[in-house]
Amino acid sequence: MTAVEIIISLFVLLGGFLSLLGSIGIIRFPDVYGRLHAATKSATLGVISIMFATFLFFLLVQGEFVGKLLLTILFVFLTAPVAGMMMGRSAYRVGVPLWEKSSQDDLKKMYEKKMKGSN
């Protein structure tokens, strides 16, 4: 194996490991907010690592520059965390409860201020 193949393999393994961690987090976290965090953070980094390995493979091994892969990385990097945040806010607004052992609720103060201001 060449150094390029080793680097590409490391990125694929890192991406797979991060995706595995995200999957375990989805199963193990007790509430929807923790599960969303696991799904958006680690899975996003996992997908980006695998896509970057694919980009490096085509660039360094095949000799082809595939700009669509870079655009895919950018798209996933920008949209997945925002989608997770919006799903979390939507869950909060419809009243999905926090885990009973949660000690902090930052959105509660913000929504209380909004409700007082709208009256």
Side-chain angles (χ1 to χ4, degrees), residues 9-31:
S9 299
L10 288 175
F11 274 112
V12 169
L13 289 174
L14 177 67
F17 178 71
L18 289 171
S19 296
L20 176 68
L21 283 180
S23 301
I24 292 170
I26 290 171
I27 294 169
R28 296 212 22 122
F29 282 138
D31 64 352

Side-chain angles (χ1 to χ4, degrees), residues 40 43-45 47-48 51 67-84:
T40 56
T44 299
L45 290 175
V47 168
I48 288 174
M51 294 304 295
K68 290 179 184 178
L69 289 173
L70 291 178
L71 289 175
T72 303
I73 291 170
L74 181 67
F75 180 76
V76 169
F77 182 73
L78 293 176
T79 58
V82 173

Side-chain angles (χ1 to χ4, degrees), residues 12 16 30 49 56 75-76 80 82 87-88 95 103 111 119:
V12 169
S49 295
L56 288 178
F75 180 76
V76 169
V82 173
M87 286 187 287
S103 60
Y111 283 118
N119 290 335

Side-chain angles (χ1 to χ4, degrees), residues 87-101:
M87 286 187 287
R89 281 213 174 169
S90 297
Y92 190 85
R93 289 183 117 174
V94 299
V96 175
L98 294 168
W99 183 40
E100 62 269 359
K101 293 184 181 178

